[in-house]
Amino acid sequence: MKRIAVLASGRGSNFQALIDAIGQGYIPAECVGLVSDNPEAYAITRARSAGIPVFIVDYSRYSSKEDYEAALLRVMQSLHADLFVLAGYMRILGAGIVRQFPGRIINIHPALLPSFAGLHAQRQALEYGVKVSGCTIHFVDEGVDTGPIIVQTCVPVLPGDDEESLSGRILKEEHRCLPRAVRAFCEDRIRVRGRMVSIVGEDSASPA
Ligand code: GRF
């Protein structure tokens, strides 16, 4: 059984989707830790309720990003996880960390990459005037939201949408896509050739 660890900075609804999927036997994994840079994150409460060990690396207590990342790396290494899931982790992981875990870190992004990378993706999509948006699960590389795409799904952008309504519609899809990608990883069904990712046993990398 694979060991997965989750990094989250806030609400943690995607983390909860993973906890639930593991609990239901959909994902054959053990969640060995929640790591948070924010001691106020609601994700911490979710971890404690689920009996998942919590590791807080409080960003505000470090004098530099280098010091913070050195501490974060030590925690990540100590977990011996097969997979790290960034589920609403609101910082960019430094190259020094990414290089330690090649092909073993995935992220969820609330837009159809490569459009609208970075912060406030839903707002960017609305301001651009796109008619569809969605979410992307991708491997993390040294860029910002640039790694190979594992799963994407789209939702319509409807007349009258605001950031909240669009975010809510996307979030529902995130809660489906993230467990699906993590399940495929844990079942060793993900194949990567360059930027091309396929999931063995699935016809496409979009949900049916
Ligand atoms: C999600 O929209 C995710 O795509 C983005 O941050 C948000 C986190 O939500 N990276 P939650 O903390 O999982 O509820």
Side-chain angles (χ1 to χ4, degrees), residues 112 116 125 129-134 154-157 166:
L112 295 174
F116 314 127
V130 293
K131 303 301 184 201
V132 291
S133 190
C154 29
V155 303
V157 179
L166 179 59

Side-chain angles (χ1 to χ4, degrees), residues 66-120:
E66 287 69 32
D67 287 354
Y68 164 75
E69 290 220 324
L72 178 61
L73 179 59
R74 281 195 294 278
V75 168
M76 289 173 75
Q77 284 170 328
S78 74
L79 290 171
H80 299 287
D82 298 291
L83 178 68
F84 293 93
V85 181
L86 311 188
Y89 176 69
M90 300 311 281
R91 299 183 186 282
I92 294 162
L93 268 191
I97 293 185
V98 174
R99 282 190 208 125
Q100 295 296 317
F101 308 103
R104 288 168 50 207
I105 308 176
I106 67 173
N107 180 46
I108 181 154
H109 184 75
L112 295 174
L113 292 171
S115 294
F116 314 127
L119 289 176
H120 307 300

Side-chain angles (χ1 to χ4, degrees), residues 10-15 87-88 90 108-110 122 171 174:
R11 178 179 58 187
S13 69
N14 280 291
F15 173 45
M90 300 311 281
I108 181 154
H109 184 75
Q122 302 95 331
L171 193 64
E174 295 182 36

